[in-house]
Amino acid sequence: MSGHRESTSFAGLRGQLQDAAAAFAGGPDALEGILLGMVDDVDRAVREPLEIFPVCHHSPASALAMARRLREKQPKVVYLELCEDMAPLLTELRNCRLPVAVQAFAGDVDGFPADWAPLSVVAPVTEASAEYQAIAYALDTPGVELVLVDRSADHVFQWDRRGEQTQEGAEPPQEDGAALHGEAVGVEIGDLRPRFAELEEHLLRHGKVRHWSEWWHQYVEVPLGDSDHDTYRQVMFLIGSLFRRLAPGEGSRLRVDEDRERYMWTRMREHLAASGTDPEDCLYVCGAFHAASRVEEFGVHGGSGTFAISPRTATTWQYGLIPSSHAAIEAQFGLAAGSVSIAATEWAKGLKRTRVKPYVLQGQAGRRKSAAKKAAVVPAPSSGAAADKLSGFLRRPPVLDGLDEAELLGWSVDIVRAARRNGYLASTADAIAVFETSILLAGLRDRAKPTPYDFQDAAVTCIEKDSVPGRRDVRRLVEIMMGGDRIGQVGYDSLPPLARDVYDRLAPLELKLEQRGVRRALLDMASRPELRACSDVLWMLRRLLPQGAARPIMGERRLGERSIQESWDLALGTHQRALIELGYEGVSLEQVLEQRLRRDAYGPRATTATVLAAVEDTLLYLGGRRLADELGTHALKVLAAERSVDGAPEVLRRVRALLAYYRTSEPVLPAWIESFVKTGYAHYCTLLPTAFRDEDATVGQVAAMLGFLFSMESLALSLGCDRNQLELAVAQSHPDDPSKTALLWAAQVQLGTLSRTELRARCDELLDNPLVVPSYPRYLSGFVHALEPVPGLADVVVEAVSNAFGRLPDTVLLPWLPLLITTLRSGAADLAPLMVREAGRIFPGRLAELDAWTPPWRVPETDPFAVRPVAAVPRGAALLAAHPAACDAVAGLLGCDDGWARPDAPAPSGVGLLAAHPAACDAVAGLLGCDDGWAATAGPAPSGGAALTTRHPETARALEHLLAAG
């Protein structure tokens, strides 16, 4: 580092700094080495044949200086510090509205740990940035070549350690636009910030500012805004050298910085050798931190052959443009909130003040078309040793801008107007207070002109006071007023094929879906059948995109159900980044959805419930049987390999839904679901005794197992399963937990090994035992869970709860009542409605009926199959006497002409019909085995078939009833 021996340009500055170091430190020490080393770094960078242009990210001063230098120099080659593999995307910037970010994305990794996926690298581009000026100049100027020389996205992850890729000090996103970059690693030109915490604290304290962005604006942006090219370069070189020399000796981060510098100079020398371009015709745009590099490879004549670029991994990278925002840039790079918006405002003011014509890509979205005016080319100054501009700049007192009262007054009026719209009780007096307070704060901070940050503090003090009535505070209102969180947009032509396909398929909705905000879509498929295709796309987007991108208001999609009318809230423009990243996974929504379903089903953590959910989603969104049958077959393997019952409730719910769907939509059940039921029956029978004893298995999970076994029993038995396996599994179960014990009793009732009477008796024993009463709520919890496998026990559960409330005294009931409520709410909230409905059916509906009401479980049980006694008098006798004409007509048809019997005569009991129709009587007697024959005419009357009546009284009585009714 002996550049001062070869150049005398900065000899005077070296002498002054050496004297200052000696006077300050009392003799030569480390301070002198640092100060003189900084001058050496500046001298070395200035004398480099390939002109180095140092920049700071999103700095209006850097952008103005870049635009001026490009007009003057008109370089033929522009080397830019940006990932070299992102070069093909830069031409697509003309189809976008800035700010946007160039993104490299890798969903599947090969060469990196699997838990790092997905990998994402973004490089934000704003209009008020030096890199955009260089890109616009190179792409729109004929004969100019743009070469990106920084490491590739693959090397970003090769060199950086996981956890050190994000910028230090980044605050969590607070606004919606702050999450546009997601978890991506930020790569940006000119990350210029002290890495020495004590140095930054010292600068902020003595500069009387709150954060680094305000210090940079006050002490760098304002002085360099109108400076000439040489002064700008030397000052930026000096700042970069200062931060570099005072950076702590972090091995990993410093090693990465130096490797990047070696990488970039290696690429530039390779390009110069291959193209034969004169270094005088080139411009190297990089961050000021890297411009003051001290690596051996620095410069076109630096050392070569000492640095080998490692090959890229086998990871496949995809590239695209995603929308960015000021808030996203601030959050990712640790900038103060609102600093990028203020920089954009300062950029517009600087263009108006200096009358510099910026470079803008032709056809840039968001720019008004104007007649193309070719800027006059100012010849660049002759090359040679640059004069020392640092000495004069460092000795020059700060230029104090005069107070612009009109600008400050306009700000004060605008912030009061914005505050009133957001619920603040602001008035003209507050505008005057903000105006005067801004001037006061600027004076206290040794400023003649209030900066936007002074105005922001004054507005918070005078308007916000102690409360925020609305969603936005005054600080955020000032940021919006200064330019707001400008959010970019990627144009249609720059979108990946999948995103363009989505917009094309949703075109029948006739909505401007590319714009930000929520759009309401109304789909009437009955009158417009073509909208069914749009509905399919929207349901897939709801499955793939984040919540809020496509939200159904009316309509639903279930297995076997399709709505004829739907209403949606769509915010595809707001979630454009997520839609673009879908395009990295495939060329159509169906392909991406199928890939994700396969990834979920075949993942290392996939469970049976996960695979069945993938099957259900396949039927809902993709249709067809191919993928559903494949995933269903895979569910069999996953189920057979599981040794826990954690997913039993979800498995039961999804299998029931799939069975109901296939039974109503298919002529026969698919082979995989029959095998699944058969395998699941044997699987859960095997695990049932262990689950009853396992403390980790909850009562809900065991109830779901029993629900699967009982509800699928008929299908499983028809497929060849043995019911004895289930009976043995229940017999081998011996739970210790009260809730599982109650669940086992319910299973025994369902199998028939325990009667309802015995179950009621056991419940009564529990209430009679004072030692068991405190745990009675847990038994009730088990009974409620039993409604899943045995819903017919709802009346027994109601009876158990009612008996507890009726028999237990308040001193016992009240202490465990909260436990009962919390237990039922936490573990059986979805089953409680069954019990409530059963209670509503059993209990009287009116309060007045409750006193005379008898519970059904207290009514004596009767055998429904017991024989009821038949009345001696025929039930049809009164009807016959009341309608004699009908009886006479029937008697005439049957040939009975004996007439009506006297009232005092005994009932004939059908004897007349038996004697009138002996053949029928003989046939009945033959069927009943009566071979006695007819009685003699002279003997005593057998009272109408006494033999039949004696031998078969029930049959005789039935015949008598039939004959009497006839």
Side-chain angles (χ1 to χ4, degrees):
M1 302 288 91
S2 58
H4 61 282
R5 297 177 183 175
E6 303 174 3
S7 174
T8 59
S9 300
F10 298 93
L13 180 60
R14 286 193 183 91
Q16 295 174 17
L17 293 178
Q18 191 171 10
D19 295 341
F24 181 79
D29 62 350
L31 177 60
E32 180 181 351
I34 293 175
L35 295 178
L36 296 182
M38 291 165 53
V39 179
D40 291 342
D41 293 341
V42 174
D43 189 16
R44 185 187 189 194
V46 167
R47 289 185 297 103
E48 174 60 35
L50 196 160
E51 181 178 338
I52 303 174
F53 196 96
V55 299
C56 175
H57 60 65
H58 305 300
S59 167
S62 296
L64 287 171
M66 174 64 72
R68 279 195 300 259
R69 186 56 180 166
L70 291 174
R71 301 262 181 215
E72 295 171 355
K73 184 178 178 67
Q74 295 288 310
K76 296 179 181 178
V77 178
V78 176
Y79 297 113
L80 186 61
E81 179 193 335
L82 198 63
C83 295
E84 59 184 1
D85 50 344
M86 293 181 176
L89 278 177
L90 298 182
T91 57
E92 300 294 336
L93 290 175
R94 65 181 75 253
N95 299 320
C96 306
R97 184 173 67 244
L98 302 181
V100 296
V102 186
Q103 183 183 37
F105 184 90
D108 298 324
V109 297
D110 187 355
F112 300 105
D115 57 348
W116 286 18
L119 305 179
S120 180
V121 178
V122 297
V125 179
T126 63
E127 190 174 348
S129 59
E131 59 263 38
Y132 176 73
Q133 294 299 308
I135 292 171
Y137 163 78
L139 295 182
D140 284 349
T141 304
V144 177
E145 185 179 4
L146 177 65
V147 182
L148 306 186
V149 294
D150 199 2
R151 55 183 176 165
S152 66
D154 196 89
H155 287 91
V156 170
F157 290 93
Q158 285 188 36
W159 295 356
D160 287 0
R161 296 180 181 273
R162 199 66 171 175
E164 297 176 353
Q165 298 157 354
T166 56
Q167 297 292 325
E168 296 180 358
E171 298 177 357
Q174 299 296 331
E175 296 292 328
D176 295 339
L180 287 177
H181 294 174
E183 299 296 329
V185 175
V187 175
E188 200 166 333
I189 298 177
D191 181 14
L192 200 57
R193 185 169 183 170
R195 298 183 182 177
F196 190 35
E198 287 76 4
L199 173 61
E200 181 173 344
E201 182 182 356
H202 176 82
L203 293 175
L204 297 182
R205 184 175 66 254
H206 287 273
K208 299 179 181 179
V209 295
R210 290 174 294 120
H211 45 70
W212 176 251
S213 300
E214 186 176 359
W215 186 94
W216 181 267
H217 171 84
Q218 178 66 25
Y219 294 99
V220 179
E221 286 292 327
V222 175
L224 290 182
D226 298 323
S227 62
D228 59 89
H229 174 63
D230 291 336
T231 302
Y232 169 82
R233 289 182 69 207
Q234 293 176 24
V235 172
M236 293 295 286
F237 286 145
L238 184 68
I239 296 174
S241 177
L242 173 65
F243 292 166
R244 191 182 189 97
R245 288 182 176 272
L246 294 183
E250 300 178 14
S252 59
R253 188 170 184 183
L254 185 60
R255 185 189 69 250
V256 170
D257 290 331
E258 292 180 348
D259 285 347
R260 290 182 63 187
E261 293 155 6
R262 296 186 180 99
Y263 193 105
M264 291 187 284
W265 281 110
T266 301
R267 289 302 193 204
M268 284 187 284
R269 281 198 297 269
E270 291 176 354
H271 181 269
L272 290 173
S275 62
T277 307
D278 187 355
E280 295 290 340
D281 296 330
C282 303
L283 187 69
Y284 172 35
V285 183
C286 67
F289 189 88
H290 299 295
S293 174
R294 291 175 291 164
V295 298
E296 295 181 1
E297 290 80 4
F298 179 87
V300 294
H301 302 299
S304 59
T306 59
F307 178 73
I309 299 176
S310 61
R312 301 182 187 179
T313 65
T315 299
T316 301
W317 289 89
Q318 302 183 67
Y319 303 90
L321 297 172
I322 62 172
S324 183
S325 67
H326 292 170
I329 297 172
E330 293 159 359
Q332 189 166 26
F333 295 96
L335 304 177
S339 59
V340 179
S341 298
I342 293 175
T345 303
E346 293 296 321
W347 160 254
K349 291 170 58 178
L351 291 177
K352 186 180 297 184
R353 183 183 68 254
T354 61
R355 297 185 179 180
V356 173
K357 182 175 178 59
Y359 287 95
V360 179
L361 287 171
Q362 295 180 5
Q364 182 74 63
R367 302 280 300 187
R368 283 186 283 181
K369 296 181 180 180
S370 59
K373 296 181 180 179
K374 187 175 181 180
V377 177
V378 180
S382 59
S383 59
D388 177 13
K389 297 297 184 72
L390 277 177
S391 299
F393 181 85
L394 295 176
R395 287 197 305 263
R396 186 180 64 193
V399 179
L400 301 178
D401 293 340
L403 174 62
D404 190 347
E405 293 188 359
E407 180 187 54
L408 183 58
L409 184 61
W411 288 355
S412 302
V413 173
D414 290 342
I415 189 59
V416 169
R417 183 184 298 114
R420 290 179 64 86
R421 285 198 300 265
N422 285 268
Y424 290 90
L425 299 178
S427 62
T428 306
D430 293 307
I432 298 173
V434 172
F435 180 88
E436 297 295 342
T437 306
S438 300
I439 299 174
L440 177 62
L441 288 176
L444 293 174
R445 296 166 180 174
D446 297 331
R447 304 168 188 167
K449 178 183 179 179
T451 66
Y453 300 98
D454 297 328
F455 171 75
Q456 189 178 55
D457 292 341
V460 172
T461 302
C462 299
I463 298 177
E464 186 169 301
K465 300 178 179 65
D466 59 348
S467 63
V468 179
R471 187 169 62 94
R472 297 187 177 98
D473 57 10
V474 174
R475 190 174 301 279
R476 178 61 184 153
L477 294 178
V478 174
E479 295 171 8
I480 295 174
M481 190 189 73
M482 290 293 177
D485 184 16
R486 190 172 303 170
I487 300 177
Q489 183 182 24
V490 180
Y492 176 86
D493 295 332
S494 299
L495 292 173
L498 181 144
R500 293 200 299 268
D501 179 61
V502 169
Y503 284 125
D504 293 341
R505 293 168 70 175
L506 295 180
L509 298 180
E510 300 178 356
L511 298 174
K512 296 181 179 179
L513 299 178
E514 67 279 358
Q515 296 180 356
R516 293 184 60 83
V518 179
R519 300 288 185 274
R520 177 62 59 87
L522 303 176
L523 287 73
D524 185 3
M525 278 79 76
S527 60
R528 297 182 60 187
E530 67 274 11
L531 294 181
R532 293 189 180 276
C534 297
S535 175
D536 295 338
V537 173
L538 293 178
W539 284 108
M540 285 188 286
L541 289 176
R542 180 178 180 268
R543 172 64 170 76
L544 296 172
L545 292 181
Q547 184 178 8
R551 186 168 62 93
I553 304 301
M554 180 184 70
E556 60 182 356
R557 177 160 291 196
R558 296 180 181 176
L559 289 176
E561 298 181 10
R562 294 294 185 272
S563 302
I564 61 174
Q565 288 183 336
E566 293 176 355
S567 176
W568 291 80
D569 276 352
L570 304 178
L572 299 184
T574 304
H575 295 82
Q576 193 180 49
R577 167 184 163 266
L579 181 61
I580 291 173
E581 290 187 350
L582 282 183
Y584 300 151
E585 302 182 41
V587 296
S588 66
L589 286 176
E590 289 80 3
Q591 180 185 5
V592 173
L593 182 56
E594 180 174 344
Q595 290 176 356
R596 290 197 180 183
L597 292 175
R598 289 181 184 275
R599 185 165 61 244
D600 294 342
Y602 290 94
R605 299 181 179 180
T607 62
T608 306
T610 305
V611 182
L612 292 178
V615 174
E616 186 174 344
D617 288 344
T618 300
L619 297 173
L620 282 177
Y621 305 119
L622 297 179
R625 289 278 301 272
R626 175 188 58 83
L627 182 60
D629 291 348
E630 176 187 341
L631 298 181
T633 304
H634 179 64
L636 287 171
K637 303 177 182 178
V638 177
L639 177 66
E642 285 185 348
R643 291 298 177 264
S644 66
V645 296
D646 296 342
E650 187 71 10
V651 170
L652 174 62
R653 185 180 67 83
R654 295 194 179 278
V655 167
R656 282 178 174 174
L658 290 171
L659 271 175
Y661 169 75
Y662 282 122
R663 282 170 172 167
T664 56
S665 61
E666 300 288 342
V668 294
L669 291 177
W672 76 265
I673 201 168
E674 292 183 348
S675 301
F676 187 90
V677 172
K678 185 177 179 181
T679 303
Y681 189 86
H683 179 74
Y684 285 135
C685 283
T686 304
L687 295 180
L688 190 61
T690 305
F692 267 112
R693 295 297 300 269
D694 189 2
E695 295 180 356
D696 295 332
T698 65
V699 63
Q701 294 169 354
V702 179
M705 294 174 61
L706 291 174
F708 184 95
L709 294 172
F710 290 150
S711 60
M712 308 291 170
E713 184 178 15
S714 59
L715 179 58
L717 295 181
S718 67
L719 296 174
C721 293
D722 189 357
R723 194 171 192 266
N724 292 331
Q725 189 176 6
L726 175 58
E727 294 177 351
L728 289 175
V730 173
Q732 294 172 358
S733 300
H734 304 287
D736 297 328
D737 185 71
S739 57
K740 292 182 181 179
T741 301
L743 188 62
L744 178 62
W745 293 347
Q748 292 172 349
V749 171
Q750 179 70 12
L751 292 176
T753 58
L754 183 70
S755 65
R756 286 173 173 256
T757 303
E758 294 173 337
L759 178 61
R760 289 188 172 95
R762 292 184 180 183
C763 293
D764 292 338
E765 292 176 1
L766 295 177
L767 291 176
D768 293 337
N769 189 343
L771 299 178
V772 181
V773 167
S775 61
Y776 192 74
R778 300 180 64 183
Y779 284 95
L780 292 181
S781 176
F783 283 130
V784 174
H785 279 94
L787 296 179
E788 176 73 50
V790 191
L793 282 181
D795 57 338
V796 178
V797 178
V798 173
E799 177 183 348
V801 176
S802 301
N803 287 338
F805 279 85
R807 294 174 55 179
L808 296 178
D810 292 345
T811 55
V812 177
L813 182 63
L814 293 180
W816 64 255
L817 189 58
L819 177 62
L820 172 63
I821 297 175
T822 55
T823 303
L824 296 180
R825 178 178 294 179
S826 61
D830 53 338
L831 298 173
L834 296 176
M835 183 176 62
V836 173
R837 284 197 297 268
E838 182 66 19
R841 186 186 67 83
I842 293 177
F843 287 94
R846 298 180 179 276
L847 183 61
E849 303 173 2
L850 187 60
D851 295 336
W853 175 73
T854 301
W857 52 84
R858 294 184 181 177
V859 177
E861 294 186 3
T862 57
D863 187 0
F865 301 100
V867 178
R868 298 180 180 179
V870 180
V873 180
R875 286 176 293 177
L879 187 62
L880 295 177
H883 303 280
C887 185
D888 293 339
V890 173
L893 291 175
L894 297 177
C896 298
D897 50 2
D898 296 339
W900 287 86
R902 294 190 304 275
D904 54 349
S909 300
V911 176
L913 287 177
L914 295 176
H917 303 280
C921 185
D922 293 338
V924 173
L927 291 175
L928 299 177
C930 297
D931 51 1
D932 297 339
W934 287 86
T937 305
S943 68
L948 287 176
T949 302
T950 304
R951 192 180 259 180
H952 302 282
E954 295 296 333
T955 305
R957 280 197 294 269
L959 289 175
E960 290 177 0
H961 278 293
L962 290 175
L963 293 174

